[in-house]
C-alpha cells in the first residue's frame, strides 16, 4: 500500500491513540509518512504507544509522533488538544 498512498507532509490528530483502534490508525498514518498527535487520558500508556510508534518509523527521519494527555470530555482537555495541534513542531 505504501507504493500507492503517502501522507508525507500531512498532520493527523488521533484520539484514543494509546491503544486499540486509535493506536492502529496512528500506526498506519505514521507508516504512510504523516506526523501524528496522539491524544489519550493515560500518560503512561500514551508515552509507551508513542515510543513504540517512533521505534517503528523509518530510521533517520524527523520526529513524527507527538502526544498530549487530555480528557476530551472536558473543556480543558479539548483546549489542550487544540493548543497542541496548533503548536510547532507538530504542524
Amino acid at each position: 500500500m505504501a507504493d500507492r498512498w503517502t501522507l508525507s507532509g500531512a498532520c493527523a490528530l488521533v484520539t484514543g491513540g494509546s491503544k486499540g483502534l486509535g493506536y492502529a490508525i496512528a500506526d498506519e498514518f505514521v507508516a504512510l509518512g504523516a506526523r501524528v498527535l496522539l491524544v489519550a487520558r493515560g500518560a503512561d500508556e500514551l508515552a509507551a504507544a508513542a515510543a513504540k510508534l517512533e521505534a517503528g518509523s523509518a530510521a533517520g527521519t524527523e520526529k513524527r509522533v507527538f502526544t498530549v494527555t487530555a480528557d476530551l470530555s472536558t473543556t480543558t482537555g479539548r483546549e489542550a488538544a487544540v493548543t497542541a495541534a496548533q503548536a510547532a513542531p507538530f504542524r
Side-chain angles (χ1 to χ4, degrees), residues 11-13 36-39 66-70 76-91:
C11 301
L13 185 149
V36 176
L37 175 63
L38 298 178
V39 182
F66 303 86
T67 63
V68 61
T69 303
T76 302
R78 290 188 298 273
E79 289 171 349
V82 169
T83 298
Q86 292 174 334
F90 173 66
R91 295 190 57 195

Side-chain angles (χ1 to χ4, degrees), residues 11-79:
C11 301
L13 185 149
V14 179
T15 62
S18 63
K19 57 188 172 185
L21 186 56
Y23 179 85
I25 290 168
D27 188 35
E28 189 68 16
F29 284 169
V30 169
L32 292 172
R35 286 185 306 281
V36 176
L37 175 63
L38 298 178
V39 182
R41 291 177 293 183
D44 293 340
E45 288 179 333
L46 189 58
K52 188 175 176 184
L53 289 170
E54 280 289 352
S57 66
T61 61
E62 68 184 31
K63 180 175 173 71
R64 288 198 266 170
V65 181
F66 303 86
T67 63
V68 61
T69 303
D71 181 348
L72 297 180
S73 70
T74 68
T75 301
T76 302
R78 290 188 298 273
E79 289 171 349

